[in-house]
Amino acid sequence: MRTDSSPGSLPAREHLPAAGAGTPVLDVVIPVYNEEKDLRPCVLRLHDHLTRTFPYGFRVTVADNASTDATPHVAARLAAELAEVTSVRLEQKGRGRALRTVWSASDAPVLAYMDVDLSTDLNALLPLVAPLISGHSDLAIGSRLARSSRVVRGAKREFISRSYNLILRGSLQARFSDAQCGFKAIRRDVAQVLLPLVEDTGWFFDTEMLVLAERAGCRIHEVPVDWVDDPDSTVHIVRTATEDLKGVWRVGKALATGSLPLDRLARPFGDDPRDRELTDVPQGLARQLVGFCVVGVLSTLFYLLLYSGFRPFCGSQTANALALLVSAVANTAANRRLTFGVRGRAGAARHQAQGLVVFGIGLVLTAGSLAALNAATADPDHSTELAVLITANLAATVLRFLLFRAWVFPDAPPTVPAVSLDAPPTVPAVSLDAPPTVPAVSLDAPPTAPAVSPDAPAARHPDAGRPWGEATARRRPAHPADTHPRDRR
């Protein structure tokens, strides 16, 4: 799991302007490996569908994952025949690597991908990307497990898919319904922030991206899809499942240890720009108060158990001090992680030191209460002592919350400076408007151009750094319905 700093905080959600020309709004990536038979009919069908039904400019990018058959030649011929199609050659395998390379270099505001077999009905493509164009959502996924989805596949794949998503829900608390459907989209500005945090380069790539996006507070839109299983799929189920489980363990460990800077990706308050002009708006107060109360109740029970355990061996004041000290350390650590969402070891020692100061204030309150009780009664019974201590602890708890919120864990802006979204991304880019990396040649002749490595820097598209307002394409008339006979299921 990558723990390096992200390019900046998540951008505010805004509708893409309809005016402008030159850059396509949508870039659909098709990652392929040895798909010489299926690639051409897939791209032609997708291109025809987008031409007839999609109201914005689009691009179809074939990302070749080090194919050893004639796939590069087929991709090059398609790019030469169709102006909206381009191809990128990678010398290393991995669906995640292909998506990262093309998405990082793309200048389209909305990025999507789909499997080459087109198992998902293409009529779901416009509903998939519409919430991203409108600014309503950050990511969108097709779901085969939604109640209104229509899916045709074998019992084995159905069992594996549902089991995998149950594992994600149980281990990573994922709330999206289908992580593995090869039909997803993301806004480019969100991708620029999330992609540096995603480590996987294979099949677990999109699952990891979805988990991190959800934890960072991104809005994920789900579209029920009609899906027909491809009986000729070359995916190795056992090996893919093993790698996915390893990825779940790695991501879960990173989230548990707080090694990911997800707290630095916080959006401005509210999605409406007018909300961001408001000042002195308390953020997260209700959630912090609930978390603090839960931690406080558990800490009080822990304190009472400790006090009852220490009391037979020492006086009331000594037992109170020892119980408070141990419970205060545990309370500070729990509130740091659960209530105020501070992860990682940075600043932990300082927070514990400040927590001990707050502990000292609580000690004064409880010790003073015991002293007053002993002054009023020569030999108070144990139940009376506990009642006095509970009352004193309630007062100390209120004061502790105020001090924690205002002094120990104050709300502060992210420590990593945000990078303007209009600046070019720092990830090496591969130009998508350049001629195909493999020239269009006869299928009987070998390619004459060398392959472009995804790790080598390449020239960027001249419009890549332009604001979205200047980088949207012409609107095309949309047909009321897609009537292509091959799109019916």
Side-chain angles (χ1 to χ4, degrees):
M1 181 63 59
R2 302 186 178 192
T3 57
D4 52 333
S5 300
S6 63
S9 61
L10 289 170
R13 303 184 184 98
E14 297 178 352
H15 195 299
L16 295 180
T23 302
V25 170
L26 174 65
D27 191 349
V28 182
V29 181
I30 304 177
V32 292
Y33 174 73
N34 290 347
E35 297 286 355
E36 60 182 358
K37 295 182 179 179
D38 295 335
L39 179 57
R40 183 175 183 83
C42 160
V43 172
L44 292 178
R45 180 181 166 203
L46 175 61
H47 181 271
D48 177 72
H49 175 88
L50 289 171
T51 302
R52 291 182 295 105
T53 65
F54 195 68
Y56 294 91
F58 65 88
R59 179 194 298 126
V60 177
T61 302
V62 179
D64 176 25
N65 286 224
S67 295
T68 57
D69 62 359
T71 298
H73 307 288
V74 178
R77 291 180 62 182
L78 287 168
E81 295 173 11
L82 303 173
E84 294 85 1
V85 177
T86 185
S87 65
V88 175
R89 166 76 176 183
L90 292 91
E91 292 303 329
Q92 293 176 291
K93 293 175 62 176
R95 182 180 68 172
R97 179 179 286 107
L99 293 177
R100 183 199 305 279
T101 301
V102 178
W103 282 357
S104 299
S106 179
D107 53 356
V110 178
L111 311 169
Y113 95 89
M114 62 181 62
D115 294 334
V116 68
D117 56 13
L118 296 186
S119 295
T120 305
D121 184 12
L122 292 179
N123 285 318
L125 182 56
L126 184 56
L128 183 80
V129 301
L132 309 187
I133 296 174
S134 70
H136 174 272
S137 302
D138 303 300
L139 298 91
I141 64 174
S143 176
R144 298 163 297 181
L145 304 181
R147 182 167 299 179
S148 56
S149 299
R150 293 182 294 177
V151 177
V152 179
R153 60 176 168 180
K156 180 180 178 181
R157 287 183 175 269
E158 182 77 12
F159 174 77
I160 293 175
S161 178
R162 291 188 178 275
S163 298
Y164 178 68
N165 284 281
L166 284 176
I167 292 174
L168 292 180
R169 288 177 175 269
S171 59
L172 301 180
Q173 287 78 50
R175 289 174 291 181
F176 46 85
S177 64
D178 191 352
Q180 292 181 310
C181 182
F183 196 69
K184 296 181 176 67
I186 184 173
R187 287 174 65 104
R188 178 169 62 91
D189 55 354
V190 177
Q192 288 176 338
V193 177
L194 287 180
L195 290 184
L197 301 178
V198 180
E199 179 178 339
D200 192 82
T201 58
W203 293 96
F204 189 69
F205 171 87
D206 41 355
T207 299
E208 183 174 354
M209 180 182 67
L210 288 175
V211 171
L212 299 185
E214 192 173 69
R215 292 300 185 98
C218 293
R219 181 177 291 166
I220 301 176
H221 176 73
E222 296 196 17
V223 178
V225 297
D226 299 335
W227 195 86
V228 179
D229 189 20
D230 179 14
D232 299 324
S233 175
T234 58
V235 178
H236 194 288
I237 298 179
V238 176
R239 183 171 56 203
T240 302
T242 302
E243 294 299 321
D244 286 346
L245 292 178
K246 291 180 180 178
V248 170
W249 170 260
R250 174 175 51 81
V251 173
K253 181 180 179 181
L255 293 174
T257 58
S259 59
L260 288 168
L262 297 178
D263 53 330
R264 302 176 186 174
L265 306 183
R267 267 198 171 83
F269 170 73
D271 292 329
D272 192 319
R274 292 173 297 178
D275 294 339
R276 297 193 292 277
E277 299 174 359
L278 299 177
T279 57
D280 300 327
V281 178
Q283 301 183 29
L285 177 61
R287 181 188 60 80
Q288 290 178 358
L289 189 58
V290 171
F292 184 83
C293 289
V294 172
V295 173
V297 170
L298 297 178
S299 298
T300 301
L301 295 176
F302 184 50
Y303 162 80
L304 293 176
L305 289 175
L306 291 175
Y307 179 83
S308 300
F310 291 141
R311 185 65 179 87
F313 306 101
C314 54
S316 60
Q317 293 288 4
T318 303
N320 173 62
L322 291 175
L324 267 180
L325 178 61
V326 176
S327 61
V329 173
N331 181 277
T332 301
N335 277 306
R336 181 177 186 271
R337 175 66 178 85
L338 302 177
T339 303
F340 298 96
V342 180
R343 300 174 175 85
R345 299 180 180 179
R350 176 176 59 83
H351 293 154
Q352 284 292 350
Q354 292 173 315
L356 290 178
V357 174
V358 178
F359 148 76
I361 298 175
L363 178 61
V364 170
L365 286 176
T366 54
S369 301
L370 284 176
L373 177 63
N374 291 328
T377 306
D379 188 18
D381 56 21
H382 186 61
S383 60
T384 304
E385 284 184 350
L386 290 180
V388 171
L389 287 175
I390 290 174
T391 303
N393 266 290
L394 288 175
T397 297
V398 175
L399 183 60
R400 186 183 302 118
F401 176 75
L402 297 176
L403 289 175
F404 273 177
R405 182 174 171 83
W407 180 48
V408 183
F409 307 107
D411 293 331
T415 57
V416 177
V419 176
S420 172
L421 293 175
D422 293 334
T426 58
V427 182
V430 178
S431 176
L432 296 178
D433 292 336
T437 57
V438 180
V441 296
S442 171
L443 291 177
D444 298 328
T448 59
V452 177
S453 171
D455 298 326
R460 286 185 48 77
H461 188 276
D463 292 334
R466 297 171 57 188
W468 283 12
E470 303 173 8
T472 51
R474 298 181 299 272
R475 292 179 64 92
R476 301 186 180 189
H479 289 235
D482 184 6
T483 58
H484 195 284
R486 298 188 63 183
D487 286 341
R488 296 185 181 275
R489 297 287 177 184

